Structures are given as structure tokens and as C-alpha cells.
Amino acid sequence: MSDGLKCPKCASEHVYQDGSLWICPECAHEWNPEAAAGDAGDDLVVKDSNGNVLADGDSVTVIKDLKVKGSSLVVKGGTKVKGIRLVDGADGHNISCKIDGIGAMNLKSEFVKKA
């Protein structure tokens, strides 16, 4: 009846179809397997402080002074950073870059704007 589908929430095999949705009677989770398959292939979307989508190789400008952790250095607001690389940072630092005079570091996208 379920064609080998399992509930993505509780892994129950007792699921049934209702229209375009599949329903799990054990945990009451409803999902559309076609939409879920499309979501799994989405790329990482990173937006700057103004909501512009960033891509690898873009240039950005730092919008405020940022202290470099573990150092007395400061990245000044207005510093232009070229050739960024987007990463999936678990701690929120989703931009990897190299800043002149400071070196390689990671930035949070909320503190930059697209140049």
C-alpha cells in the first residue's frame, strides 16, 4: 500500500496516500514526496545584509567594524573583500575569504553587503 515509503519523521511503514499527500497515522505527519525530493537538491543560498543573493567569486564590503577573535586586529567597516567563497558554516560564518593585511578568515553574511 505504501510502495516502500516510510514516514520521514518517525520512519513508520504504515503510511497512506490522501490525494497528493502521504499521511502517517502514528505521528500525524503529512508530506508530499515529490516536493521533498525537489527540496533535497537545493543549493546553499546566502544573502547579504540587504537581502541580495551572494555567489562564489563575488566581491563584498564589510558594513561595520569587526573584531578578529583571538587577536587585536579589527576589520574596518568599508573594507572590500574580493573573491569570496560560500561555505556551510554551522556557527553562522558562511563566507570564507582572504582579507588583505589580515589573512584567511570566515565572515557572517549579515555583516557584509554585495559590492
Side-chain angles (χ1 to χ4, degrees):
M1 179 171 183
S2 66
D3 298 330
L5 280 178
K6 291 184 178 182
C7 175
K9 191 171 184 180
C10 70
S12 171
E13 295 179 352
H14 305 288
V15 296
Y16 63 92
Q17 188 173 12
D18 184 20
S20 64
L21 294 177
W22 285 85
I23 302 170
C24 175
E26 295 183 13
C27 69
H29 180 66
E30 298 179 359
W31 76 99
N32 184 344
E34 295 168 359
D39 292 344
D42 288 347
D43 290 332
L44 177 68
V45 176
V46 176
K47 295 183 179 182
D48 69 357
S49 61
N50 296 328
N52 299 318
V53 177
L54 298 173
D56 286 342
D58 281 348
S59 294
V60 295
T61 304
V62 178
I63 60 171
K64 67 179 251 181
D65 290 355
L66 301 172
K67 294 181 182 178
V68 178
K69 189 173 185 177
S71 171
S72 62
L73 299 173
V74 175
V75 178
K76 294 286 189 182
T79 302
K80 190 168 184 179
V81 181
K82 298 178 183 177
I84 66 168
R85 202 179 58 200
L86 302 180
V87 295
D88 188 17
D91 58 352
H93 294 83
N94 47 11
I95 297 175
S96 178
C97 62
K98 192 180 272 190
I99 299 176
D100 293 336
I102 296 176
M105 65 183 312
N106 292 339
L107 297 172
K108 290 184 178 182
S109 61
E110 62 195 60
F111 298 121
V112 300
K113 66 179 182 179
K114 196 169 186 176

